[in-house]
Amino acid sequence: MSTLLLLTSALQPSAEVLPALTLLGHGVKILPAEGSALLEAPESDLLLVDGRQDLAGARDLCRLIRTTGTDVPVLLVVTEGGLSVVSHDWGMDDVVLHTCGPAELESRIKLAIGRLTAARDAADPEAHVIRSGEVVVDEATYTAKIGGRALDLTFKEFELLKFLAQHPGRVFSRQQLLQEVWGYDYFGGTRTVDVHVRRLRAKLGPENETLIGTVRNVGYRFVLPAKEKDSVAADAARITERASQDA
């Protein structure tokens, strides 16, 4: 699930600007389609610019976004008529019709974010490595280890471990995991998640199976190891103490 920022001047909810968004699980925040709105814009994984009614204004806004130095992907939302006049020098990463279906929109969002991730990984060799306690997941080589021991995982088991390890402590429902790991167009039941979690726990071993925690009647989460929790708490305490001394 990604955080999307929708820049629009329409006095409508996001469902009216891009109906397919209502069928996806992304978080959507709305701001006016103005350059000043970018000054206090919250962090996001992708920007959506509404160009349905004011295409020239949307073009200028896309170009302005690029002058701010941000590398966040920009998707321009247009009508079918506007599609014919869009040019590559407008500064957006991709164009999407406001009538597009959820599967197409999800694909374009993932591709745009994926391209950015790949570029960042190329600049930082360690960017593709996820470390959470003793769990180390390498996205580039599709390998996972725990305490230095290599885990023999299937593709979906790897993707499930990677996704959970990326969000330690956060609880995901089975439906959310299906969407994020298996994809929007997967038609299997949520029982699939339970089966893969059971297999993943078995491969982690008895001493580490509790890393994948169950939240009754909700779903699953990656349990942050106790030592790491203590380390985070200690760091927070030191920061608080230093701030009080400075004050």
Side-chain angles (χ1 to χ4, degrees), residues 172-180 184 186 188-190 193 218:
F172 293 93
S173 69
R174 292 168 176 81
Q175 192 61 48
Q176 286 177 313
L177 291 173
L178 274 180
Q179 180 174 317
E180 295 293 340
Y184 174 80
Y186 180 76
T190 55
V193 177
V218 181

Side-chain angles (χ1 to χ4, degrees), residues 86 108 148 157-158 172 217 234:
V86 173
R108 291 182 183 274
E157 290 166 354
F158 174 86
F172 293 93
N217 297 324

Side-chain angles (χ1 to χ4, degrees), residues 7-9 31-39 61 64:
L7 302 175
T8 177
S9 297
L31 286 179
E34 303 171 355
S36 58
L38 299 174
L39 297 176
L61 183 58
L64 178 62

Side-chain angles (χ1 to χ4, degrees), residues 132 163-172 211-213 215 220-225 228-229:
S132 193
F163 182 76
L164 290 172
Q166 282 177 314
H167 308 88
R170 182 173 172 179
V171 181
F172 293 93
L211 288 174
I212 310 299
V215 180
Y220 298 101
R221 66 188 176 99
F222 189 89
V223 179
L224 199 64
E228 193 165 325
K229 283 184 179 178

Side-chain angles (χ1 to χ4, degrees), residues 175-213:
Q175 192 61 48
Q176 286 177 313
L177 291 173
L178 274 180
Q179 180 174 317
E180 295 293 340
V181 178
W182 278 263
Y184 174 80
D185 56 351
Y186 180 76
F187 294 104
T190 55
R191 179 64 179 166
T192 297
V193 177
D194 297 330
V195 172
H196 279 75
V197 166
R198 186 168 64 249
R199 292 174 179 170
L200 184 54
R201 283 171 171 164
K203 292 182 179 181
L204 287 171
E207 68 280 10
N208 296 302
E209 61 181 11
T210 55
L211 288 174
I212 310 299

